[in-house]
Amino acid sequence: MNQQRWERVPADPDLEGDLGYEMDEWDVIRARRDGRGRLMFLPKDTEMLRDDAFILADPDAVCNVEHRQ
């Protein structure tokens, strides 16, 4: 995407239509080990798991953007 096209993107862009993202469904699993909580994000598409697609994160590093202001 060049500078001019980027500047024409709306302030609240459509993720697929304007930015070209493809939305995927992911499951979130809370895990505890050594007293510390972790979040594991796993794709619902098992083919993606075969390609090592997963995320491990501390809960403090994750936020729900729908609730941010």
Side-chain angles (χ1 to χ4, degrees), residues 3-22:
Q3 178 84 20
Q4 291 172 338
R5 188 168 172 211
W6 177 252
E7 289 173 356
R8 287 193 308 263
V9 173
D12 186 16
D14 177 74
L15 296 178
E16 229 173 299
D18 294 325
L19 301 176
Y21 292 137
E22 292 181 26

Side-chain angles (χ1 to χ4, degrees), residues 26 39-43 52-57:
W26 289 64
L39 297 175
M40 180 183 295
F41 295 84
L42 299 171
D52 296 329
F54 63 91
I55 298 170
L56 296 176

Side-chain angles (χ1 to χ4, degrees), residues 1-65:
M1 181 177 290
N2 63 30
Q3 178 84 20
Q4 291 172 338
R5 188 168 172 211
W6 177 252
E7 289 173 356
R8 287 193 308 263
V9 173
D12 186 16
D14 177 74
L15 296 178
E16 229 173 299
D18 294 325
L19 301 176
Y21 292 137
E22 292 181 26
M23 301 303 288
D24 288 319
E25 298 270 333
W26 289 64
D27 290 318
V28 180
I29 300 169
R30 289 191 173 274
R32 287 203 161 280
R33 184 174 177 172
D34 301 329
R36 296 195 54 174
R38 297 278 193 271
L39 297 175
M40 180 183 295
F41 295 84
L42 299 171
K44 289 189 178 185
D45 180 355
T46 55
E47 283 298 315
M48 291 177 68
L49 278 175
R50 290 189 181 106
D51 294 331
D52 296 329
F54 63 91
I55 298 170
L56 296 176
D58 286 320
D60 294 341
V62 178
C63 71
N64 185 336
V65 295

